[in-house]
Amino acid sequence: MPLSGRWTLTRYLIEERRRYPGASGDFNALILDVALACKAIARIVAFGPLADALGTALPEASAVGGEVNVQGEVQKPLDVLSNEIFVRMNEWNGHLAGMASEEMAQPAQIPPSYQRGKYLLVFDPLDGSSNIDVNVSVGSIFSILRAPEDVIASGRDVTESDFLQPGATQMAAGYAIYGPTTMLVLSVGNGVAGFTLNPNLGEFVLSHPNIQIPADTTEFAINTSNSRFWEPPVKRYVDECLAGKTGPRGKDFNMRWVASMVADVHRILCRGGVFLYPWDAREPDKPGKLRLMYEANPMAFLIEQAGGAATNGRQRILDLMPAKLHERVSVILGSKNEVERATAYHLEADGKTAS
């Protein structure tokens, strides 16, 4: 692995491609287009509530906002604009068979005037957008899948079922975090690397090579205001952490909660920790709050590539077979030993044992 600060994202991808002598370069080019979309979003996010006033919004998106998306959430103008940027910057390149977004009810087709490729792009264009108004870090999450062979061969329009693949089949996943600095964190299946945007060069430069999550931690992230709705195993795990040195864990824990998944996961990748967004009784018919395809799968891929673990409390997230595009899921991810403990509590409550 190279010394940090010397390699750009482009060079990193070229070196990774050397592992596959027959690779065409389409995969690398797609990731670079995704990175370009993230740079554009970073610029607009930096303007925050001034974005529309400064004329940075696209004409067709600037008046949109306040509508309810397919998730039942009120869209902010920057949600709509970020989604538009992802679509427009990736539909023309000839590498994609189709796209799916948290903000769109159905998959986005590649226009007939453009060449179609062999990959599928899945993304949450602006995670944590409710924090924009208070200047807290937000981000974009993405996942790259290979399109089914019949889609590649025929060039037909994609359908929802084409995207329904377990997370273990992801070819790459990552996120951009828009904070004091803009960073891109990426895995192409060979570990995790972090790149910081150098504003002077306009390039993502390798700053965090070979990211590894420690197996043990003294930090956990969960929204404790929902504790009255949790399942007993979640309450047991959190209560033990809160009990500190005098409790069964024999050590003190700190709690962190940003309410932006990108920000919470980024902290865990940088220094360890465990993140929990469990099922709760407020919506008993839903298996969780977070989206499997747009949030849980790409983040679980990164976490595992960095040596951590990710489950829904009972199963490895990357083994889950999605039944629908906007499926929700419970999430426990981060430092391996803590995730395994929380998962064991769930299995014990179910009368099972961890395999």
Side-chain angles (χ1 to χ4, degrees), residues 14 18 48 65 77 87 93 122 135 144 146 152 176 190 195 208 210 215 258 260 270 273 276 311 328 332 346 348:
I14 290 171
R18 295 189 198 281
V87 171
N93 55 32
V122 180
N135 204 25
I144 297 173
R146 185 176 175 87
I152 299 171
N190 186 33
F195 303 82
H208 296 66
N210 194 29
V258 183
S260 165
C270 289
L276 305 94
T311 77
R328 296 174 185 255
I332 303 173
H346 281 79
E348 181 181 327

Side-chain angles (χ1 to χ4, degrees), residues 1-2 4 7-9 12-13 16 142 173-175 183-196 204-212 266 269 302 305-306:
M1 185 59 65
S4 62
W7 281 19
T8 64
L9 173 62
Y12 176 87
L13 292 172
E16 286 295 308
F142 62 90
Y175 63 82
M183 283 190 64
L184 182 77
V185 177
L186 173 71
S187 175
V188 294
N190 186 33
V192 179
F195 303 82
T196 299
F204 281 111
V205 178
L206 183 67
S207 54
H208 296 66
N210 194 29
I211 295 173
Q212 288 289 304
H266 187 70
L269 282 168
L302 289 168
Q305 285 289 318

Side-chain angles (χ1 to χ4, degrees), residues 106-190:
Q106 299 296 327
Q109 306 297 338
I110 303 303
S113 57
Y114 297 140
Q115 179 181 339
R116 293 184 176 182
K118 58 188 175 183
Y119 301 108
L120 301 173
L121 178 63
V122 180
F123 56 90
D124 178 353
L126 196 61
D127 175 74
S129 59
S130 61
N131 286 316
I132 285 286
D133 293 341
V134 292
N135 204 25
V136 171
S137 294
V138 296
S140 301
I141 309 173
F142 62 90
S143 168
I144 297 173
L145 302 164
R146 185 176 175 87
E149 290 302 322
D150 74 296
V151 173
I152 299 171
S154 67
R156 65 166 171 83
D157 283 357
V158 292
T159 64
E160 179 175 337
S161 63
D162 296 324
F163 292 84
L164 303 183
Q165 305 177 30
T169 66
Q170 293 173 104
M171 301 189 68
Y175 63 82
I177 182 167
Y178 314 120
T181 60
T182 294
M183 283 190 64
L184 182 77
V185 177
L186 173 71
S187 175
V188 294
N190 186 33

Side-chain angles (χ1 to χ4, degrees), residues 45-312:
V45 166
F47 287 122
L50 300 177
D52 286 336
L54 293 173
T56 56
L58 297 174
E60 61 267 37
S62 61
V64 182
E67 298 179 3
V68 176
N69 65 11
V70 66
Q71 312 294 340
E73 300 168 338
V74 176
Q75 292 176 308
K76 291 181 176 291
L78 285 179
D79 287 319
V80 179
L81 181 54
S82 299
N83 189 77
E84 188 77 6
I85 288 171
F86 255 90
V87 171
R88 296 292 174 252
M89 287 192 169
N90 288 284
E91 66 182 359
W92 62 272
N93 55 32
H95 309 313
L96 290 177
M99 291 176 273
S101 165
E102 181 181 320
E103 300 297 333
M104 301 186 296
Q106 299 296 327
Q109 306 297 338
I110 303 303
S113 57
Y114 297 140
Q115 179 181 339
R116 293 184 176 182
K118 58 188 175 183
Y119 301 108
L120 301 173
L121 178 63
V122 180
F123 56 90
D124 178 353
L126 196 61
D127 175 74
S129 59
S130 61
N131 286 316
I132 285 286
D133 293 341
V134 292
N135 204 25
V136 171
S137 294
V138 296
S140 301
I141 309 173
F142 62 90
S143 168
I144 297 173
L145 302 164
R146 185 176 175 87
E149 290 302 322
D150 74 296
V151 173
I152 299 171
S154 67
R156 65 166 171 83
D157 283 357
V158 292
T159 64
E160 179 175 337
S161 63
D162 296 324
F163 292 84
L164 303 183
Q165 305 177 30
T169 66
Q170 293 173 104
M171 301 189 68
Y175 63 82
I177 182 167
Y178 314 120
T181 60
T182 294
M183 283 190 64
L184 182 77
V185 177
L186 173 71
S187 175
V188 294
N190 186 33
V192 179
F195 303 82
T196 299
L197 182 61
N198 183 325
N200 294 324
L201 296 175
E203 293 279 358
F204 281 111
V205 178
L206 183 67
S207 54
H208 296 66
N210 194 29
I211 295 173
Q212 288 289 304
I213 301 172
D216 294 298
T217 186
T218 56
E219 288 189 350
F220 70 99
I222 193 169
N223 185 353
T224 56
S225 68
N226 296 327
S227 61
R228 64 193 183 280
F229 304 113
W230 293 340
E231 288 185 278
V234 176
K235 187 166 175 41
R236 174 187 174 185
Y237 176 80
V238 173
D239 284 347
E240 288 182 357
C241 292
L242 294 174
K245 286 184 178 179
T246 60
R249 302 301 306 279
K251 60 182 180 180
D252 291 328
F253 283 78
N254 291 320
M255 191 185 77
R256 301 285 185 263
W257 183 251
V258 183
S260 165
M261 189 185 190
V262 165
D264 279 312
V265 171
H266 187 70
R267 183 185 61 252
I268 289 169
L269 282 168
C270 289
R271 71 185 193 199
V274 61
F275 170 90
L276 305 94
Y277 209 133
W279 174 91
D280 68 50
R282 290 172 299 169
E283 297 181 296
D285 58 324
K286 295 179 180 178
K289 174 70 172 175
L290 298 177
R291 289 76 178 175
L292 176 60
M293 300 289 292
Y294 310 109
E295 296 167 318
N297 271 345
M299 290 306 200
F301 188 80
L302 289 168
I303 290 290
E304 286 200 5
Q305 285 289 318
T311 77
N312 67 355

